[in-house]
């Protein structure tokens, strides 16, 4: 654990002021940190972390969430980042999530994939499968898919959103009532007790329609998305069969997932 190595700098950060400064820096860097993570990182009790979070929230330096904290500017986020930049954010967890999610896929399935960096990592892990049919609005996906694993790729049309490299709009979904899709593998920007959400309204609408067209839905979201309410709601968890993530959710989010019967897969 970070503060138990005997290094003088690490020991000194157990002092309240130094610890709280590092805590704020960590929250800003990651965008979302759980209380459990902070306990492990700083080697202090959960009560100490709670007091730190309360104090820092009172000072306007962060916002407490159920089970952790986010930067103040991320209470409701509609910020748009490019796909290229998101590919390097939380890269290791996303790689593990993509690999774990690929293990839930069966050969000869038809998959619906939306936009997002987590979807790109998932697509790259499909090499052990064969005869897959892919339906996607994600223009980054076709070049990533292992050619030997895929029978056909259908790219939905619509309006191009450059920051996400996706197509959205009515043109892309006109054919969807005529097709039968086994599994939707969806990436989202936030997971809260209310449901899953995405930063851009058009993408949220597209994702909702994709989920509705499929027999089951697998959500991909790393733990930085926990207790985050993005700008546009996609859906509650009733349509979701699996959440593949890198940490166990807790608090109200965990309760909402359990109530909906969502199976949680924590990528090792």
């Amino acid at each position: 654990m970070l503060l138990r190595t005997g290094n003088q700098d690490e020991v000194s950060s157990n002092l309240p002021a130094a610890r709280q400064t590092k805590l704020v820096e960590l929250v800003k860097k990651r965008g979302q940190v759980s209380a459990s993570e902070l306990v492990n990182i700083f080697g202090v009790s959960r009560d100490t972390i709670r007091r730190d979070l309360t104090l820092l929230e009172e000072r306007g330096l962060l916002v407490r969430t159920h089970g952790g904290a986010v930067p103040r500017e991320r209470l409701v986020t509609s910020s748009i980042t490019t796909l290229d930049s998101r590919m390097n954010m939380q890269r290791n967890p996303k790689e593990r999530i993509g690999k774990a999610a690929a293990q839930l896929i069966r050969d000869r399935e038809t998959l619906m994939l939306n936009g997002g960096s987590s979807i790109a990592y998932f697509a790259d892990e499909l090499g052990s499968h064969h005869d897959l049919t892919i339906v996607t609005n994600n223009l980054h996906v076709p070049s990533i898919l292992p050619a030997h694993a895929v029978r056909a790729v259908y790219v939905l049309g619509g309006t191009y959103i450059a920051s996400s490299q996706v197509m959205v709009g009515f043109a892309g979904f006109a054919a969807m009532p005529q097709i039968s899709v086994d599994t939707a593998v969806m990436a989202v920007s936030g997971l809260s007790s209310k449901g899953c959400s995405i930063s851009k309204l058009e993408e949220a609408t597209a994702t909702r329609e994709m989920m509705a067209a499929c027999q089951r839905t697998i959500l991909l979201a790393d733990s930085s998305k926990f207790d985050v309410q993005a700008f546009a709601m996609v859906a509650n968890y009733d349509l979701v069969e699996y959440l593949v993530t890198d940490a166990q959710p807790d608090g109200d989010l965990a309760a909402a997932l359990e109530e909906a019967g969502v199976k949680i897969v924590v990528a090792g």
Side-chain angles (χ1 to χ4, degrees):
M1 289 172 30
L2 178 61
L3 300 182
R4 296 182 181 177
T5 63
N7 181 283
Q8 185 61 41
D9 289 339
E10 294 169 344
V11 172
S12 66
S13 41
N14 248 347
L15 297 173
R19 181 181 65 246
Q20 290 159 12
T21 298
K22 289 182 177 292
L23 193 159
V24 172
E25 292 172 354
L26 188 64
V27 171
K28 288 182 178 180
K29 180 179 179 180
R30 294 192 182 181
Q32 163 80 20
V33 181
S34 71
S36 299
E37 287 180 294
L38 294 171
V39 167
N40 290 330
I41 289 169
F42 292 106
V44 295
S45 71
R46 198 175 186 89
D47 286 341
T48 297
I49 291 299
R50 285 172 179 159
R51 287 193 294 270
D52 285 347
L53 294 178
T54 298
L55 177 63
L56 293 169
E57 184 176 47
E58 290 173 352
R59 293 177 178 173
L61 298 174
L62 52 74
V63 175
R64 293 192 62 180
T65 63
H66 297 291
V70 297
R72 191 166 189 83
E73 59 271 19
R74 281 197 63 183
L75 268 179
V76 175
T77 177
S78 59
S79 61
I80 305 300
T81 56
T82 65
L83 178 62
D84 288 341
S85 66
R86 294 198 302 274
M87 290 295 293
N88 293 317
M89 296 170 61
Q90 299 287 102
R91 177 166 185 161
N92 183 262
K94 289 177 181 178
E95 288 176 339
R96 290 187 279 118
I97 288 168
K99 185 173 184 179
Q103 296 173 12
L104 300 175
I105 302 305
R106 302 171 289 246
D107 291 338
R108 293 176 291 280
E109 275 201 273
T110 298
L111 307 179
M112 184 81 76
L113 309 182
N114 72 341
S117 54
S118 294
I119 295 297
Y121 286 113
F122 163 78
D124 191 50
E125 292 289 345
L126 292 173
S128 62
H129 295 283
H130 60 85
D131 289 335
L132 297 175
T133 298
I134 308 296
V135 183
T136 185
N137 67 337
N138 188 336
L139 300 184
H140 197 56
V141 161
S143 63
I144 296 173
L145 289 165
H148 63 275
V150 177
R151 179 174 57 204
V153 179
Y154 296 90
V155 179
L156 298 171
T159 302
Y160 175 58
I161 298 181
S163 62
S164 303
Q165 296 183 28
V166 298
M167 307 294 286
V168 298
F170 294 111
F173 298 94
M176 286 181 59
Q178 306 169 31
I179 64 176
S180 177
V181 181
D182 298 305
T183 301
V185 183
M186 303 281 106
V188 293
S189 304
L191 298 174
S192 72
S193 60
K194 296 179 181 179
C196 55
S197 53
I198 287 180
S199 298
K200 202 167 185 62
L201 181 59
E202 299 93 328
E203 288 188 60
T205 301
T207 298
R208 185 184 310 114
E209 294 184 11
M210 287 177 165
M211 292 169 63
C214 300
Q215 295 180 24
R216 67 169 183 162
T217 293
I218 299 171
L219 283 186
L220 310 185
D222 65 78
S223 55
S224 71
K225 311 296 195 310
F226 291 178
D227 299 308
V228 171
Q229 176 65 61
F231 176 65
M233 182 62 66
V234 174
N236 60 29
Y237 300 115
D238 291 343
L239 295 177
V240 179
E241 183 169 343
Y242 288 96
L243 167 63
V244 185
T245 183
D246 62 318
Q248 189 71 34
D250 57 14
D252 289 351
L253 174 58
L257 292 165
E258 182 177 3
E259 183 178 356
V262 178
K263 305 177 184 72
I264 298 172
V265 177
V266 178

